[in-house]
Amino acid sequence: MPEDVVDASEVEQSQGALEALISERRRKRDDLAAAGLDPYPSRFDRSTTAGELHLAHDGLEADQRTGQQASLAGRVVSMRGHGKLIFVTLADQSGTIQLLIQESRRSEQAALVVEALDLGDWIGVHGEVITSRRGELSLDVDDIQMLSKALRPMPDKWHGLVETDTRYRQREVDLLANAESRRVFDIRFKAIAALRRFMQDEGFVEVETPILQPMAGGAIARPFFTHGNALDIELSLRIAPELYLKRLVVGGYEKVFEIARNFRNEGVDTRHSPEFSALEAYRAFGDYRDGMDLAERMIVAAAEASIGTMTVTAGERTLDLSPPWPRRNLLDWLEEVTGERLHPSDPVEKVRAVCDAHQCDYLEEWTSGKLIFELYDTVLLPLVADPVFVYGIPIDVSPLARSNDDDPTMADRFELCIDAKEFVNGYSELNNPEVQVERFARESQLAAQGDLEAMPADAAFVRALEYGLPPTSGIGLGIDRLVMLLSGVEAIRDVILFPMLRPESFD
RNA sequence: GCGCCUCUAGCUCAACGGCAGAGCAACGGACUCUUAAUCCGCAGGUUUCGGGUUCGAAUCCCGAGGGGCGCACCA
């Protein structure tokens, strides 16, 4: 082959296949503009939506004309051409509807738009609501406007977008191409709306507390750090809203909640995201039992509103969320399973022996209470399928919880477990400032001994307690996990719209 | 952080040491009841990147990058 011919084809190819597809669409857009039709008009008046039309007319016999004129707007998701007749599937947020575009009926403007039409374009259409000869509800289109010309080719209309990387990085494409993805996020936002409604109906006030904090507290986790220029101070991103919310209860807000984005600078996996959402609620004059009641009703309300059933699937198994949920004492249950009656006051050797017998790893410095909690995590938690409250948790791992009146080594604290995962953590709040100081001191001591999990003392919080925190019940719900449960997906990234990923390079 | 897997056309996937292919999307054409429309034609590639082995590499080896999954930490 002569040199110059080779060069020419290389120049042609250097444009790239994707660029060629985009240029083609650009050309169509420019053709429209040249014909005096704005490919990006400012607005469009629609009279109805695909969903409303289906509600109004589904069940109609084939080949009917309703006489109803309608204007619809949406994205072209499929086209089936038959020469002088084209079937288009139009998608709006409410669903999809078929358009019948007949050459004999359409306007001149419509003809130009059809000429320039590609999958993915946003269009506005007008016509009569009819059913096709096959009985599908359709709009017999007489006019079309381009509302926004899409320049990039859409993913495969049958397989959608599969590659997880692209699905997370270009969530907009995932959403427009994959109905399953839309389903999951619809559940998410319905559930969150339901939680908010439920809390408001219960008389809780929704509040906002700082995300940028001088010292991240209220949980045990490594924070993200940033710098505040104006004050020239180091700030942490919140790991939990707990301490600020309790200060609001001190201030007289008897029922408060916050839907809080929390940030933890820790491992990322199927169940953990650096950025995640929690609902924390505090109710004056209640204790941890009220927390269990609240958690149960809250989750049931969210399930009802988002999926309309108490049956969910988690991997291979089917779970039943129907209340009431059993409440099991941790030490009793542990005895049932291991055959050993353990207590935080037991010598560590005794508890370690049980750990050894159940493949539960531990560190040298752990107390009996901490070991018991670890046994719960490794031995009991995996047994959980349907929801179960586990209450009575060692005080050693509960520095912000009130101790039990009859057994000061135990906290009046519970966790709600479903499908081998923790969903809610709640307790009677510790409101004795001096005991809180002791707890913080003990945590500091642990930190000094090298325990990376120790909680830093928060003097402002202690001062607040000194003004008087009423008896208070507090709970925290992991919203992402709840959405995973309700939607039946197994990766937390599938319930977060834009999960954290390494930045793309656009070179 | 450590281990394993993965990356091929815009999308979904083949080819697994011997000429890089298909379907969808695109482009040209036929078609007024399809719905994964069909039919004919045409085009589309630095096989993620960089090295190496080989007569020959998408394929084997080494390294880098993206992503996924385990383990550890955590909710």
Side-chain angles (χ1 to χ4, degrees):
Chain A
M1 195 179 277
E3 288 289 326
D4 55 325
V5 172
V6 170
D7 287 346
S9 77
E10 273 174 2
V11 169
E12 186 73 15
Q13 281 170 10
S14 73
Q15 193 194 11
L18 176 57
E19 281 67 28
L21 292 172
I22 291 175
S23 316
E24 186 62 31
R25 284 167 176 254
R26 242 187 228 120
R27 181 190 62 74
K28 291 176 181 174
R29 177 195 63 185
D30 296 343
D31 286 350
L32 276 183
L37 299 174
D38 186 354
Y40 304 109
S42 65
R43 67 187 313 281
F44 180 80
D45 283 311
R46 62 174 172 182
S47 65
T48 186
T49 64
E52 284 175 3
L53 284 181
H54 281 292
L55 270 180
H57 298 291
D58 272 354
L60 222 54
E61 282 176 30
D63 216 4
Q64 299 291 306
R65 306 196 72 85
T66 66
Q68 182 192 339
Q69 298 292 312
S71 293
L72 287 165
R75 189 190 287 278
V76 175
V77 294
S78 143
M79 287 198 282
R80 299 170 293 282
H82 288 261
K84 291 171 179 151
L85 168 69
I86 304 170
F87 296 94
V88 169
T89 306
L90 188 76
D92 64 24
Q93 199 184 330
S94 70
T96 64
I97 190 151
Q98 176 167 275
L99 310 177
L100 240 99
I101 305 174
Q102 308 193 61
E103 193 177 87
S104 54
R105 275 183 202 280
R106 69 191 187 194
S107 67
E108 243 171 77
Q109 165 180 300
L112 290 168
V113 174
V114 166
E115 191 60 33
L117 205 56
D118 280 308
L119 292 179
D121 292 345
W122 288 92
I123 57 173
V125 293
H126 177 272
E128 183 186 351
V129 180
I130 62 163
T131 52
S132 70
R133 277 179 213 161
R134 291 292 172 84
E136 174 153 355
L137 188 66
S138 308
L139 195 72
D140 189 11
V141 172
D142 53 51
D143 196 23
I144 312 183
Q145 288 177 47
M146 183 65 71
L147 298 184
S148 181
K149 180 71 192 164
L151 295 183
R152 286 183 181 266
M154 298 297 119
D156 191 289
K157 69 182 177 189
W158 184 243
H159 301 95
L161 184 63
V162 170
E163 203 184 323
T164 46
D165 186 14
T166 315
R167 288 209 303 117
Y168 297 151
R169 286 190 195 281
Q170 295 180 243
R171 185 66 87 181
E172 61 283 358
V173 183
D174 180 38
L175 289 168
L176 75 86
N178 298 331
E180 165 62 14
S181 190
R182 283 195 302 276
R183 184 190 71 87
V184 170
F185 287 106
D186 284 350
I187 289 172
R188 177 178 185 117
F189 298 118
K190 274 185 192 169
I192 290 175
L195 289 171
R196 192 166 258 134
R197 216 178 307 122
F198 173 84
M199 294 305 287
Q200 283 161 355
D201 289 350
E202 290 286 313
F204 284 79
V205 176
E206 181 170 10
V207 299
E208 295 164 292
T209 63
I211 291 173
L212 294 171
Q213 307 179 350
M215 180 177 38
I220 293 160
R222 293 176 60 186
F224 285 92
F225 293 105
T226 187
H227 187 262
N229 288 341
L231 304 182
D232 191 22
I233 50 172
E234 174 149 285
L235 292 164
S236 309
L237 273 65
R238 97 171 136 203
I239 56 174
E242 173 159 354
L243 302 184
Y244 284 99
L245 290 175
K246 279 191 266 194
R247 288 167 69 174
L248 294 180
V249 181
V250 169
Y253 281 103
E254 293 171 6
K255 289 172 148 187
V256 292
F257 78 103
E258 179 167 12
I259 294 180
R261 193 78 63 86
N262 295 326
F263 306 87
R264 299 190 183 175
N265 208 345
E266 293 172 343
V268 178
D269 63 30
T270 319
R271 290 181 185 79
H272 300 87
S273 166
E275 197 173 333
F276 68 102
S277 298
L279 188 157
E280 285 203 10
Y282 292 84
R283 186 195 144 169
F285 316 125
D287 69 8
Y288 74 108
R289 285 167 294 209
D290 298 293
M292 288 192 267
D293 293 341
L294 186 68
E296 184 173 290
R297 290 188 299 127
M298 182 189 291
I299 290 173
V300 166
E304 233 153 42
S306 61
I307 57 174
T309 171
M310 293 302 124
T311 305
V312 297
T313 55
E316 297 294 290
R317 52 189 175 185
T318 300
L319 306 180
D320 180 13
L321 305 183
S322 304
W325 301 334
R327 302 179 177 194
R328 311 200 62 164
N329 179 276
L330 194 159
L331 297 180
D332 291 346
W333 194 13
L334 208 49
E335 180 177 12
E336 225 174 88
V337 173
T338 67
E340 293 284 340
R341 183 73 199 180
L342 296 174
H343 190 268
S345 61
D346 285 338
V348 286
E349 291 76 18
K350 179 181 172 188
V351 189
R352 280 179 188 167
V354 180
C355 287
D356 290 336
H358 291 87
Q359 293 79 47
C360 175
D361 296 335
Y362 51 84
L363 297 177
E364 186 69 22
E365 60 268 26
W366 286 2
T367 61
S368 292
K370 169 78 176 163
L371 290 167
I372 287 171
F373 188 67
E374 209 60 23
L375 276 169
Y376 150 69
D377 256 350
T378 57
V379 177
L380 299 184
L381 198 55
L383 303 176
V384 175
D386 289 347
V388 53
F389 288 108
V390 179
Y391 70 90
I393 292 176
I395 205 78
D396 298 7
V397 293
S398 315
L400 301 170
R402 187 180 191 280
S403 58
N404 183 270
D405 287 338
D406 300 322
D407 181 354
T409 66
M410 299 299 284
D412 279 338
R413 172 182 169 191
F414 72 90
E415 288 194 344
L416 170 66
C417 306
I418 310 173
D419 187 33
K421 292 189 279 286
E422 293 149 14
F423 279 73
V424 175
N425 183 21
Y427 36 86
S428 304
E429 301 298 335
L430 173 57
N431 63 350
N432 181 327
E434 269 129 26
V435 174
Q436 185 66 73
V437 167
E438 286 166 23
R439 298 280 188 82
F440 277 145
R442 191 172 161 279
E443 290 292 314
S444 305
Q445 196 186 332
L446 289 173
Q449 290 168 7
D451 186 345
L452 297 171
E453 295 191 349
M455 190 177 288
D458 188 324
F461 173 63
V462 172
R463 183 179 58 196
L465 292 185
E466 287 168 353
Y467 283 98
L469 174 71
T472 298
S473 161
I475 67 171
L477 161 71
I479 286 179
D480 308 280
R481 286 187 175 180
L482 176 63
V483 176
M484 289 166 70
L485 177 76
L486 295 174
S487 59
V489 308
E490 294 183 2
I492 195 168
R493 281 175 163 177
D494 288 324
V495 301
I496 294 175
L497 280 172
F498 297 100
M500 185 186 287
L501 295 173
R502 284 184 196 284
E504 270 180 277
S505 66
F506 288 93
D507 45 355

